[in-house]
Amino acid sequence: MQNAHEWIRTTRGLVCGLLTLVALGAGLSACGAGGASSAKTSSTATSAPLVEATTASNSVATKPCGAWSNADGSTGQAVAVKYGSIRNCALVGDSWILSTVGLTNQPGVIGVDSCHGDAACLNPQTDRSISAWTFYPAPNVGHVAILGMASPGVLLVDNGGHRLNFTISTGTYQQ
């Protein structure tokens, strides 16, 4: 019975993750409260879909962040104090990526924790201490939401209503 419940929860998470990516692009919530992956409606982290770019299109697969990214998690709490609560969190390539809602009159950030192929780091259950992250403030006041991939290694993000690209390897935002 436990496996059936896990399968249902995983399948729901995959569907909600896909719907959320589409809905975020349209500025809507896909799964509402209680969904495994939903648009930001509370202070808990949203595990955004892992977005793997292909040469043909932006394909999507889901791999959630661990409990460390939750509002009461070790990283989630520390990030919220400095940068606002975590809005999205995903493993992209071999780097954990998170985005935040920002603090009053301050921009959100994108956080990058590069694993460099380290299996323990890539495991979502391994606690990701805030000291492992590098944070990049967005250029505009407001939230940062991961919408998808613009190209390999380049995220498409929304920053307070502005569509930008974020290059993971350099930590730079571009219009």
Side-chain angles (χ1 to χ4, degrees):
M1 190 59 117
Q2 180 71 16
N3 288 339
H5 289 293
E6 288 177 23
W7 182 85
I8 290 169
R9 190 174 64 236
T10 301
T11 302
R12 182 171 184 220
L14 289 170
V15 170
C16 286
L18 291 170
L19 291 172
T20 298
L21 184 61
V22 171
L24 284 174
L28 304 171
S29 174
C31 297
S37 293
S38 63
K40 182 70 182 160
T41 58
S42 69
S43 63
T44 58
T46 300
S47 293
L50 162 62
V51 186
E52 299 172 336
T54 64
T55 54
S57 66
N58 296 344
S59 65
V60 179
T62 301
K63 178 145 186 180
C65 293
W68 48 265
S69 67
N70 294 338
D72 62 350
S74 58
T75 301
Q77 285 181 352
V79 168
V81 168
K82 292 180 99 171
Y83 306 108
S85 59
I86 295 174
R87 179 173 183 142
N88 302 109
C89 189
L91 180 64
V92 178
D94 75 342
S95 295
W96 290 105
I97 307 293
L98 63 80
S99 69
T100 72
V101 299
L103 297 172
T104 303
N105 297 322
Q106 293 184 7
V109 300
I110 290 183
V112 178
D113 179 6
S114 298
C115 292
H116 305 290
D118 181 313
C121 176
L122 293 168
N123 181 344
Q125 302 311 311
T126 301
D127 193 345
R128 305 305 316 141
S129 167
I130 193 168
S131 64
W133 294 81
T134 303
F135 295 95
Y136 303 95
N140 304 296
V141 172
H143 71 272
V144 176
I146 300 169
L147 302 177
M149 296 293 286
S151 61
V154 180
L155 299 172
L156 174 61
V157 301
D158 178 288
N159 169 218
H162 303 272
R163 294 275 173 106
L164 304 170
N165 290 334
F166 176 81
T167 304
I168 297 169
S169 63
T170 62
T172 55
Y173 295 87
Q174 298 169 325
Q175 288 192 347

